[in-house]
Amino acid sequence: MIELKNLDVQFKTDHKEIHAVRDVTIQIDNGDIFGIVGYSGAGKSTLVRTINLLQRPTNGSVRVGDKQLLDLNPKELRQARKKIGMIFQHFNLMNARTVSGNVLYALRSSKLSAEEKHKKVAELLDLVGLADKHDVYPSQLSGGQKQRVGIARSLANDPEVLLCDEATSALDPKTTLSILELLKNLNEKLNLTIVIITHEMEVIKEICNKVAVMEDGSVVEQGDVVSIFTEPQNALTQEFINTATHIDQALAKLAKHPTLLNLNREDTIARLSFVGESTNEPLISSLYSKFTVSTNILYGNIEILHDTPIGNLIVVLSGNPTQIKQATQFLESQQVHVQELEHVQTNEKAKVVPLNREYVV
Ligand SMILES: Nc1ncnc2c1ncn2[C@@H]1O[C@H](COP(=O)(O)OP(=O)(O)OP(=O)(O)O)[C@@H](O)[C@H]1O
Ligand SMILES: [Mg+2]
């Protein structure tokens, strides 16, 4: 288990002080794939670098397993760091060494015999799918293959934790998926705890079970991925999710939808979000049979997150206002979250935005 408690990191430069991490408390359980998402400069790398004390916090404590890292002497810290692997956006491979040379280098202070080390390197390269690339130099590898070498190297000392700082940001979407799949396999096979930094909620959606959202040094929201995706509390979280689920694109496109340009005054535009069971209910048709409210679906999307379907519909509800109100109350009672939207026209630009301006879209 990793426990970061009340962490602060402040940098003092010549003219100013930067508070890169502000009072962050996070608990990461064994076997978690914990995502940290935020825009550039949010403090993600600084925060994650405190987990192996590459960055010492100005305040707070860092516990990894049963060790308070700030209490360790240099030798103990070196030992503790071996149990924490790390991979990077630009792979950081040594170009003058072969693939196996790169992995072998990570074993330089290991107590294994030369023969055991070679065996270990072969096993690791096999594990990451590079069994046929031992003697190749990094320059002859694709980005995805280079990251696989990075992963093999990070696993050389049998870490319990793997820190990934934008590990897929330099890769195309297909390669990204294959690397994420590899990480997921390693998580399951080796019970490896993984911490992933990313600026893409898509990455979180793909493999993480927990997520923390960072803004300006602080964690503004954290929790398990399914609840964060279904009930985000923070505007920034909502923004990341809208991008990952393509709702933002849908809303932008819908702004020009003929239905929305010709709405009756009593029509209501709404976003319906639901989890699991609700998706199986013939809810839409019951809105008509129960309340004579008709539903025009303008956009629909279902994501499967850890076997849980999460749905989003953008609809226009038409009918008598009282009945529309009853219909939305009924939906809420069926665990369908209803968010009213409005169509606004400003400076020639049409937008669909939340009515209550609870979220920035
Ligand atoms: N060694 C340093 N000295 C001074 N300021 C720093 C240092 N490292 C980071 N910062 C500052 O701390 C803030 C957080 O930086 P950090 O690299 O942690 O952000 P990030 O979320 O990882 O961003 P990105 O997505 O661009 O990698 C930024 O304002 C950055 O300029
Ligand atoms: Mg960073």
Side-chain angles (χ1 to χ4, degrees):
M1 186 171 88
I2 301 170
E3 192 179 52
L4 308 177
K5 248 192 192 162
N6 304 111
L7 278 192
D8 279 286
V9 179
Q10 275 164 291
F11 295 111
K12 284 199 180 82
T13 60
D14 289 348
H15 354 266
K16 56 176 182 180
E17 203 165 280
I18 296 170
H19 208 153
V21 175
R22 296 168 191 261
D23 193 22
V24 169
T25 296
I26 281 181
Q27 184 184 310
I28 301 171
D29 293 324
N30 291 341
D32 272 350
I33 305 187
F34 194 103
I36 298 176
V37 66
Y39 288 124
S40 186
K44 307 179 295 294
S45 298
T46 308
L47 176 66
V48 163
R49 286 159 54 86
T50 64
I51 298 177
N52 53 9
L53 288 196
L54 279 181
Q55 176 63 56
R56 282 191 174 257
T58 336
N59 254 314
S61 65
V62 179
R63 182 158 72 84
V64 178
D66 55 359
K67 296 198 170 61
Q68 286 290 349
L69 296 197
L70 288 161
D71 295 344
L72 302 182
N73 65 36
K75 188 176 166 208
E76 290 167 334
L77 182 58
R78 272 199 301 281
Q79 282 310 114
R81 275 188 179 146
K82 285 197 176 153
K83 295 292 155 204
I84 309 172
M86 193 158 184
I87 58 173
F88 309 89
Q89 179 174 2
H90 297 295
F91 325 120
N92 301 8
L93 301 181
M94 291 178 290
N95 290 321
R97 290 177 200 254
T98 59
V99 163
S100 53
N102 267 275
V103 181
L104 189 61
Y105 188 76
L107 287 168
R108 63 196 178 284
S109 62
S110 147
K111 293 201 174 69
L112 298 178
S113 69
E115 195 184 329
E116 285 167 332
K117 285 183 185 175
H118 280 97
K119 188 162 166 262
K120 177 105 195 177
V121 170
E123 280 167 8
L124 288 165
L125 290 177
D126 205 20
L127 186 65
V128 300
L130 290 180
D132 56 342
K133 300 285 182 200
H134 281 231
D135 302 323
V136 160
Y137 286 89
S139 61
Q140 297 164 275
L141 297 177
S142 70
Q145 290 168 333
K146 284 181 192 164
Q147 194 55 289
R148 285 171 190 267
V149 180
I151 293 171
R153 180 185 56 186
S154 75
L155 298 177
N157 293 297
D158 304 313
E160 283 150 20
V161 178
L162 178 63
L163 309 178
C164 313
D165 193 347
E166 302 280 0
T168 57
S169 297
L171 305 175
D172 63 55
K174 198 169 156 213
T175 311
T176 292
L177 282 182
S178 77
I179 293 294
L180 295 179
E181 203 173 303
L182 172 61
L183 292 175
K184 178 92 188 118
N185 282 341
L186 296 172
N187 162 260
E188 286 166 3
K189 229 188 240 174
L190 311 175
N191 191 31
L192 186 67
T193 304
I194 300 183
V195 183
I196 292 192
I197 297 179
T198 178
H199 55 267
E200 290 176 321
M201 208 59 158
E202 303 255 9
V203 168
I204 305 278
K205 194 177 82 181
E206 209 53 55
I207 63 164
C208 297
N209 64 324
K210 296 202 192 123
V211 61
V213 183
M214 274 191 95
E215 182 176 33
D216 195 18
S218 303
V219 167
V220 293
E221 186 160 3
Q222 60 174 313
D224 75 86
V225 168
V226 174
S227 7
I228 296 277
F229 262 75
T230 48
E231 285 181 77
Q233 303 297 318
N234 184 279
L236 177 67
T237 315
Q238 181 69 59
E239 198 176 305
F240 275 112
I241 292 171
N242 282 352
T243 309
T245 54
H246 308 291
I247 293 270
D248 54 351
Q249 286 173 8
L251 289 175
K253 274 209 180 124
L254 286 178
K256 296 181 200 126
H257 198 286
T259 310
L260 296 188
L261 299 175
N262 298 301
L263 279 189
N264 289 324
R265 216 157 46 90
E266 290 171 351
D267 290 346
T268 300
I269 315 169
R271 169 178 176 171
L272 313 183
S273 348
F274 42 85
V275 186
E277 305 302 85
S278 314
T279 51
N280 302 326
E281 294 290 323
L283 281 172
I284 298 295
S285 60
S286 60
L287 295 187
Y288 194 80
S289 57
K290 282 188 177 18
F291 309 101
T292 36
V293 166
S294 59
T295 310
N296 182 0
I297 301 177
L298 303 181
Y299 169 85
N301 174 50
I302 292 185
E303 304 271 345
I304 310 285
L305 267 183
H306 304 281
D307 305 326
T308 308
I310 296 182
N312 271 292
L313 296 178
I314 296 171
V315 299
V316 174
L317 303 171
S318 310
N320 150 325
T322 318
Q323 284 173 318
I324 290 182
K325 190 145 190 245
Q326 286 170 353
T328 58
Q329 282 166 350
F330 166 73
L331 288 171
E332 293 279 2
S333 76
Q334 300 298 305
Q335 276 74 49
V336 176
H337 178 59
V338 182
Q339 182 190 36
E340 272 194 52
L341 307 173
E342 69 175 325
H343 188 249
V344 288
Q345 188 94 33
T346 46
N347 306 335
E348 317 266 303
K349 256 194 167 169
K351 274 198 210 161
V352 177
V353 294
L355 187 61
N356 53 15
R357 314 237 174 248
E358 184 187 344
Y359 298 130
V360 186
V361 178

